[in-house]
Amino acid sequence: MDDTTITQDAAAESGMVSAQRLQSIIDRVERLEEERKALASDIKDIFLEAKSAGFDVPVLRQLLRIRKQEPSEVEEQETLLHLYRHALGM
């Protein structure tokens, strides 16, 4: 165990907070939130591009959701959808 660990343990036990560690955590989260905003903007731009190219954006979003699922889950959902449609005479 090094001196830093002992100091952090002692600070934690006494209820003290390491300002440097806290600032590091806050800075990292803020940086990631900014990156997430930039990525969301990029994704929005891609969907706008797709729409202008004639693609149906809600269908693209549905395809993306399906691709994240396990094949067995997709198959089960499609089977149930077919069953329900058949039951409704569709």
Side-chain angles (χ1 to χ4, degrees):
M1 196 178 277
D2 63 3
D3 290 339
T4 306
T5 304
I6 293 169
T7 304
Q8 288 175 347
D9 290 343
E13 288 175 13
S14 67
M16 295 172 53
V17 175
S18 167
Q20 185 178 11
R21 179 78 169 136
L22 178 59
Q23 186 65 49
S24 171
I25 290 169
I26 295 299
D27 290 346
R28 288 170 35 212
V29 170
E30 287 176 340
R31 185 178 67 251
L32 290 171
E33 286 176 345
E34 287 299 318
E35 289 177 21
R36 180 172 43 190
K37 271 197 250 182
L39 289 172
S41 177
D42 291 346
I43 291 169
K44 182 180 176 182
D45 291 344
I46 292 170
F47 281 124
L48 287 173
E49 176 186 338
K51 184 176 182 177
S52 69
F55 291 102
D56 187 315
V57 173
V59 173
L60 293 178
R61 290 184 188 278
Q62 185 176 2
L63 284 172
L64 289 167
R65 278 193 304 275
I66 290 170
R67 286 174 55 112
K68 290 179 187 176
Q69 296 176 328
E70 292 293 323
S72 60
E73 292 175 15
V74 174
E75 184 178 343
E76 180 181 348
Q77 288 178 359
E78 288 176 351
T79 300
L80 286 172
L81 182 60
H82 176 75
L83 177 68
Y84 293 172
R85 281 183 171 173
H86 183 71
L88 294 172
M90 298 174 70

